[in-house]
Amino acid sequence: METSSEERPIIEIDDFSFSYNRGETDTLKNISVSCPEKKVTAFIGPSGCGKSTLLRSLNRINDLVDTACITNGQIRIMGQDINTPEVDPIELRKNVGMVFQKYNPFPKSIYDNVAYGLNLQGKQKQSDLDDAVEKSLRGAALWDEVKDRLKDSALGLSGGQQQRLCIARTIAVNPKIILMDEPCSALDPIATAHVEQLINTLKQEYTIVIVTHSMQQATRISDNTAFFYLGELIEFSPTKELFSNPKNKRTEDYVSGRFG
Amino acid sequence: MNINSHILTPFNDDLKELKENLSSMLTLIETSFNRAEEAFVNNDQALCDSIIVSDEAINNKEVVIDNLAMDILLKYKPVASDLRFVVSSISIAKSIERLGDHLCRIAKQIKKLDKSVLMAPDVEYIKDLFSLAKEQLAHTKEAILTHDASEAGECLDGEERAKETSKQISAIFVNLMSQDNEGIPNYLSLIFIARSIQRFSKLCTNIAEDIIYIETSKPNQ
């Protein structure tokens, strides 16, 4: 299994293969990689290489695709195989939150967006809910910007703020892992810098796996990087090493813009 | 590394231009070096002057290379071997500029020499030192042109040999100074020339190490 350091892995992907068409062809082929706890792991690779598919396998969002199936191997999170029948995907997603490419706040107030997951988990005292909302918004570096308008619609926020609100909504339920699928691709450079800074802060508390098309972003924010090509994991290394001295020629060709 | 295979052709063009500038800067050094060697053998003052004059062109090349490298970093944000090449180009250009400075120092010392001292048999040691440095310079230039780490590796042991020879030369001429007071300025100039060639040799080694780093990612010692 590819692992870049001696740190304790929280996610262990072991010889994992995955198909979108009932096993006729594998979109992911025998992927083995471990993501250490409280580190940022970046998945990079050309479009269609399977990086988002793998990310979505980590919280079983692919379950929503009827014809999708695992054809080999397993994914363990905190030592538990997440694809066994006894694992409830809803419970899994409490521990493995996700932030998407296009920010997607609910058409509700800022407060209700952050409180949404907590409300789903059951009734809470209003004061506890208030504390949790404030903590999450502070954690997402958004509190100072919205504290005076918590009841305003989330849709009135800027794009960068909406994405940070989605991150606040994710961390409100206190997950162990945050998955991010190109979280900055729809943001301007300043909003991107805010989100990247937030990721740097969040990794003290959470394990983050991020799919990004920006090599510069991967070098700035991730500790380890995995390069995928045509459904295979080509290389997994500490980020600095992967971008300065890649072991595999295909990695070097891709990161330096030589892919034909 | 292959600088011609990027999807973005202006990136290829800029890397190529950077390499061509490094190569032409080394050609300027090569010309000055050959002049210095010839000027030493023939005590040719005019050749010495031409070395000093051409140093400006060498200095200007360093500025061109620095600007080009900065431009590439800014525009293309290179990684892996491309990044090593661009960053090392700045360091190589700095080393080449210093090669030019040493050639100027050698030229200035040659101008001070009395022709008669060049007949002394011990002067042959300095000619040997010139040959050694010339060989290193040739390996360095070839390594830059061909991206060949093993060619650069040929340059590495020259530094030690140059150091030993330079030490030997200093000992010989210090000894001669104690016997011949009138010849002291000449012997001092010969010692300074030897030291400059030795430093020239060390800079060639530094450049060779940079080339090895570019091609293999092994850091400089």
Side-chain angles (χ1 to χ4, degrees), chain A residues 215-216 219 242-246 252-253 255-260, chain B residues 1-3 5-8 11 77 79-82 84 216-217:
Chain A
M215 307 290 163
Q216 295 304 312
T219 55
L242 189 130
F243 284 97
S244 60
N245 185 23
E252 165 123 18
D253 284 351
V255 297
S256 57
R258 288 186 172 96
F259 246 43
Chain B
M1 69 173 292
N2 182 355
I3 62 172
S5 53
H6 299 89
I7 296 165
L8 210 53
F11 187 20
K77 299 183 173 48
V79 294
S81 59
D82 297 328
R84 295 199 298 274
T216 67
S217 88

Side-chain angles (χ1 to χ4, degrees), chain B residues 18-67:
Chain B
L18 186 61
K19 181 180 155 180
E20 281 168 358
N21 271 288
L22 284 172
S23 172
S24 64
M25 195 176 175
L26 271 175
T27 302
L28 291 174
I29 291 293
E30 215 169 32
T31 306
S32 286
F33 185 92
N34 291 338
R35 284 175 183 168
E37 196 177 17
E38 196 183 330
F40 180 73
V41 173
N42 302 324
N43 194 240
D44 188 328
Q45 303 282 313
L47 273 180
C48 289
D49 289 336
S50 74
I51 292 166
I52 294 162
V53 169
S54 65
D55 192 44
E56 195 184 341
I58 295 166
N59 293 346
N60 291 342
K61 272 280 179 202
E62 188 198 1
V63 176
V64 170
I65 288 168
D66 280 358
N67 286 338

Side-chain angles (χ1 to χ4, degrees), chain B residues 158-176:
Chain B
E159 182 190 346
E160 247 343 277
R161 285 192 285 153
K163 201 171 162 185
E164 278 310 305
T165 311
S166 174
K167 229 190 243 177
Q168 228 175 329
I169 289 167
S170 291
I172 290 166
F173 291 118
V174 166
N175 186 38
L176 285 173

Side-chain angles (χ1 to χ4, degrees), chain A residues 8-234:
Chain A
R8 191 166 67 118
I10 188 168
I11 302 170
E12 295 163 282
I13 303 166
D14 188 7
D15 205 19
F16 184 73
S17 299
F18 177 88
S19 168
Y20 277 118
N21 52 12
R22 302 183 203 280
E24 273 180 45
T25 51
D26 282 347
T27 302
L28 293 173
K29 296 161 193 164
N30 306 99
I31 307 290
S32 291
V33 64
S34 289
C35 304
E37 194 174 11
K38 293 184 182 174
K39 297 280 175 191
V40 180
T41 301
F43 288 175
I44 62 165
S47 297
C49 69
K51 55 193 185 301
S52 288
T53 299
L54 184 61
L55 191 81
R56 295 159 75 90
S57 299
L58 298 178
N59 68 350
R60 290 182 52 181
I61 286 193
N62 289 327
D63 287 10
L64 303 172
V65 182
D66 287 343
T67 54
C69 65
I70 294 162
T71 53
N72 193 53
Q74 59 176 218
I75 294 174
R76 292 185 297 277
I77 289 181
M78 294 179 282
Q80 163 79 53
D81 181 349
I82 61 167
N83 291 296
T84 52
E86 58 268 26
V87 173
D88 175 1
I90 308 292
E91 286 301 313
L92 171 70
R93 288 172 203 145
K94 281 184 193 167
N95 276 322
V96 188
M98 190 156 190
V99 177
F100 295 87
Q101 183 174 5
K102 180 82 179 90
Y103 36 88
N104 52 358
F106 303 128
K108 291 172 174 286
S109 70
I110 295 166
Y111 184 99
D112 288 344
N113 262 278
V114 182
Y116 193 84
L118 295 167
N119 283 328
L120 274 185
Q121 287 180 1
K123 260 193 166 234
Q124 302 211 18
K125 270 168 53 187
Q126 187 59 44
S127 60
D128 289 347
L129 210 52
D130 290 348
D131 289 346
V133 168
E134 179 176 342
K135 190 179 167 209
S136 304
L137 286 168
R138 282 190 188 280
L142 194 59
W143 174 253
D144 289 340
E145 292 163 60
V146 300
K147 64 184 175 193
D148 300 323
R149 47 176 173 147
L150 292 174
K151 294 296 169 189
D152 288 2
S153 168
L155 303 179
L157 297 172
S158 71
Q161 287 173 325
Q162 288 191 39
Q163 190 63 303
R164 280 183 283 149
L165 179 67
C166 293
I167 294 171
R169 188 177 63 191
T170 303
I171 62 178
V173 294
N174 205 18
K176 294 277 185 287
I177 298 163
I178 303 174
L179 310 177
M180 296 184 168
D181 194 356
E182 296 184 58
C184 301
S185 65
L187 302 181
D188 66 53
I190 298 298
T192 297
H194 279 300
V195 173
E196 287 183 4
Q197 171 55 25
L198 179 55
I199 291 169
N200 276 323
T201 313
L202 288 174
K203 77 172 184 183
Q204 291 165 20
E205 296 284 323
Y206 308 95
T207 302
I208 297 170
V209 184
I210 180 169
V211 165
T212 178
H213 275 296
S214 164
M215 307 290 163
Q216 295 304 312
Q217 183 168 71
T219 55
R220 283 192 297 266
I221 62 171
S222 70
D223 300 289
N224 299 300
T225 298
F227 168 59
F228 296 88
Y229 183 58
L230 296 177
E232 290 177 42
L233 175 68
I234 304 299

Side-chain angles (χ1 to χ4, degrees), chain B residues 3-16 76:
Chain B
I3 62 172
N4 270 324
S5 53
H6 299 89
I7 296 165
L8 210 53
T9 52
F11 187 20
N12 290 336
D13 296 342
D14 285 358
L15 287 174
K16 199 171 154 210
Y76 309 108

Side-chain angles (χ1 to χ4, degrees), chain B residues 79-90:
Chain B
V79 294
S81 59
D82 297 328
L83 179 62
R84 295 199 298 274
F85 173 59
V86 176
V87 171
S88 298
S89 292
I90 298 172

